[in-house]
Amino acid sequence: MDKRKRRAVDSAWYMLEKRATIRETAKIFAVSKSTVHKDLTERLPKISETMAKDVRDVLDSNLRARSIRGGNATKEKYRIIRESNNH
């Protein structure tokens, strides 16, 4: 198996085990987020359709959670601003 295919499979296993985001996976494998995305969405389906489907489920779940995390971060930001203005 060539280096890219091996990285795609290793990245997929990591993402599935940890329910990791693309950003977290990229950091672990010391590659860009674009590389991880390409590995998981283009290379992986050619290697294992089943694993690719499972990874797609994690990616979709992370995508749904992203807006919630962003909303919570904004809420926390304005809470801190409100508290600093009250002191």
Side-chain angles (χ1 to χ4, degrees), residues 75-87:
K75 181 178 176 181
E76 179 66 7
K77 172 186 171 183
Y78 286 105
R79 183 190 66 75
I80 291 169
I81 291 171
R82 255 192 330 276
E83 286 180 2
S84 69
N85 288 338
N86 289 334
H87 287 94

Side-chain angles (χ1 to χ4, degrees), residues 30-82:
V31 295
S32 70
K33 295 178 294 183
S34 298
T35 298
V36 172
H37 190 268
K38 183 172 186 137
D39 284 349
L40 298 178
T41 61
E42 293 180 25
R43 290 187 181 104
L44 189 61
K46 295 174 185 170
I47 300 166
S48 170
E49 288 183 30
T50 304
M51 185 181 275
K53 183 202 171 300
D54 293 342
V55 166
R56 174 85 298 188
D57 291 344
V58 173
L59 291 172
D60 290 344
S61 173
N62 289 341
L63 183 63
R64 287 189 299 274
R66 183 175 67 184
S67 63
I68 294 167
R69 286 192 307 270
N72 287 340
T74 301
K75 181 178 176 181
E76 179 66 7
K77 172 186 171 183
Y78 286 105
R79 183 190 66 75
I80 291 169
I81 291 171
R82 255 192 330 276

Side-chain angles (χ1 to χ4, degrees), residues 8-42:
V9 171
D10 290 346
S11 297
W13 277 116
Y14 180 80
M15 183 171 273
L16 292 171
E17 276 186 25
K18 306 288 185 182
R19 303 291 292 176
T21 63
I22 286 180
R23 185 180 300 258
E24 293 164 343
T25 304
K27 193 176 286 188
I28 291 295
F29 290 91
V31 295
S32 70
K33 295 178 294 183
S34 298
T35 298
V36 172
H37 190 268
K38 183 172 186 137
D39 284 349
L40 298 178
T41 61
E42 293 180 25

